[in-house]
Structure formats: structure tokens, C-alpha cells
Amino acid sequence: MTKRAVVKGVGHYLPETIIPNAWFEARLDTSDEWIRTRSGIERRHFAAEGETTSSMALAAARAALADSGLVADDIDAIILATSTPDLTFPATATMVQAGLGMTRGFAFDVQAVCAGFVFALANANALILAGQAERVLVIGAETFSRILDMDDRATCVLFGDGAGALVLEAQEGTGASTDRGILSADLNSDGRHRDMLYVDGGVSTTGTAGVVKMQGNALFRQAVEKLAATADAALAKAGLGHDDVDWIVPHQANIRIIQGTAKKLGMSMDNVVVTVQDHGNTSAASIPLALSVGKARGQINPGDLVVTEAIGGGLAWGAVVLRW
């Protein structure tokens, strides 16, 4: 028998404040049509004053626990992917641990920007396979609205805030690709491309949070190629091919990247979960958000083969293949 990390529940949270494209029209030289055409985004959510990454993560975590039928003390570990922590330290995951009333286990953060949730899933899977944890709560949460330059139309219209969470549980499988759970992961990074997407502040440099800087055209070219390649690599590790895939659940950055990657993989957009129009780019939160929405819509069902893939600053990119 083979141990597998199986999805037990999923949930998400979005702030109440919805920011339509028209909000930017009144402030910048831009338009709803310009934003939709270049990104596919129609609206996004911004955190309210006093709303934090940890508070959104906590709400998503509670939703995922409720969906799984588990309680906080059933969880052995929390891994939270974020680039916008509440504080420099401690880890935002420990704040979620306290908020849940979880008095056992351990919690830590992962930082791989928009690819953060894929990296967090791979780490959670490794903990389960190694016997370090039986149940892991994996969260992606971001308040990117706090690090946007609202005068830079190339970046500020793209991002939003939110959180998504997923509960993984150790279960026995046969070792075959028909097993439920995480079947493979492929992780990559290349620090030579740092300047394509970064924040121009930090503790040891400016002592400030900084704002997002992006080379959009260069990043687009890298994204489609690398996302398709990492999805192929993860499928190959699982002994599977494109025809086996029921759903691609990509990082929701830009509809053109999503479409380009699907085309390169030879997949129909009918098999892609798309939420970018409603949420914008929520960085590490986008994949768990899309998984939760996809399940709620009735798209993702037990037994479905799902490929998640993401790319973010670093550059960091990767994919996870799992059977729901």
C-alpha cells in the first residue's frame, strides 16, 4: 500500500468590498475595455481597513474545516502561502493556529509569491508521506491591495485580495494513478528573472513594504512556456497524459496566459476552471480560491483528475497533479 495526501475539504473567503473596473476609470488613464481585453478581469475584492491576511486566512480555514467535517485539533500542521504577511514575524500561519484554537501541532509560512500554494501543497504532501503529519491545513492568503502603486495602471488593476484553504489527510492508496490524492508535484525556480516581478521594498533593504513592479510582456512569454512545461512534467511523474486530465485549475493571473497555456497543453477551455474575471490575481490565494469555487459550481467532483499550475516572482513555478 502507498500513503496518499487526499483532499478532505476546501473553502475560501473574499472581502466584502468589490472593486469593479470602473473604479479605476475614475482614477487612471484606463478603461473597463482596456482591462478586460488585456487581463480578462472585470472586478476584484479589496480588504477593508483592519482586515488582514491572517483574518482572511482564518475565515477560509474555518470554511475548509467545515467542508471536511473536521475540527481544529484534528489538524497536525498548517502551511500558509503568502507574500503579504501580517507582520515580518511571527509566521502568519501561527496567527491562524491561535485563531482556530489549535493547541497542538505546528504552523509555518511559505513564500513563493503566486506559485506559493503549489509549493505549499508539495510541502504538505511531503510531510504526510514522511509521516510527520496525518492532516495538514494548506492555505493561500493575500492582501495585495496594500502593496500596489495605485498610479501604475500596468499593475494596480490586476490584483485583488482573498484567501483559500484545503485540508489534506493521509489515506492508503494502491500506488496507482487511479488513487485519490496528490499523485505528483513539480517545482522550479530561476532567480535570474527576479526583475520581471518583484516588490521594491524589504526589511534589509528599504525598511518599507514597497510596491509591486512588473515587466508584463516579458513575464507573459515566460509564463505560458513554463506553465505548460511544469504541467507536462508533473503529469509525466504521475504516469499520466493530457487525455487523463479532467480539470486544469491554473493560477488566475491573466486570461490570456490561462488560454495560452491550455492551448499549448492541447486542452479545451471547457476543462479549465476560470475565476480571474471575478477575483483578479490573488497571488497565492488564487488556486485554492478556484478549487473552492470549482467545487461549489459542481465542476470538480470526486475522482476527477486535477492539474494545478502557477508561476510567480522569483521566478518560481510549479504544478501539482491530484485526484479529487
Side-chain angles (χ1 to χ4, degrees), residues 15 17 45-56 83-86 142-150 156 159-162 199-200 208-212:
T17 302
H45 296 247
F46 280 180
E49 185 177 352
E51 198 164 32
T52 63
T53 296
S54 66
S55 67
M56 293 190 297
S83 298
T84 53
D86 286 18
E142 303 281 16
T143 47
F144 252 62
S145 62
R146 306 269 162 79
I147 55 169
L148 297 177
D149 177 355
M150 290 301 179
C156 71
F159 295 91
D161 303 335
V199 168
D200 65 353
T208 64
V211 294
V212 174

Side-chain angles (χ1 to χ4, degrees), residues 172-189:
E172 293 295 332
T174 65
S177 61
T178 52
D179 288 347
R180 289 191 64 213
I182 293 178
L183 303 178
S184 66
D186 180 66
L187 304 179
N188 309 270
S189 67

Side-chain angles (χ1 to χ4, degrees), residues 18-143:
I18 299 173
I19 305 294
N21 290 342
W23 189 88
F24 293 99
E25 286 183 323
R27 293 162 173 79
L28 297 168
D29 179 17
T30 190
S31 67
D32 174 61
E33 181 183 8
W34 189 90
I35 297 169
R36 286 180 189 234
T37 301
R38 285 157 180 78
S39 69
I41 298 168
E42 300 174 19
R43 64 194 66 85
R44 72 288 291 147
H45 296 247
F46 280 180
E49 185 177 352
E51 198 164 32
T52 63
T53 296
S54 66
S55 67
M56 293 190 297
L58 181 59
R62 285 172 171 154
L65 285 170
D67 188 49
S68 69
L70 299 172
V71 297
D73 276 339
D74 293 324
I75 301 299
D76 300 305
I78 299 173
I79 305 177
L80 193 153
T82 188
S83 298
T84 53
D86 286 18
L87 301 170
T88 301
F89 68 82
T92 303
T94 62
M95 301 178 193
V96 176
Q97 182 186 31
L100 289 173
M102 179 178 155
T103 56
R104 56 183 294 277
F106 56 95
F108 62 95
D109 291 355
V110 167
Q111 215 282 53
V113 200
C114 299
F117 190 77
V118 168
F119 277 62
L121 270 184
N123 275 272
N125 182 54
L127 287 172
I128 287 173
L129 297 187
Q132 292 292 312
E134 289 293 307
R135 297 188 182 100
V136 182
L137 177 59
V138 191
I139 308 168
E142 303 281 16
T143 47

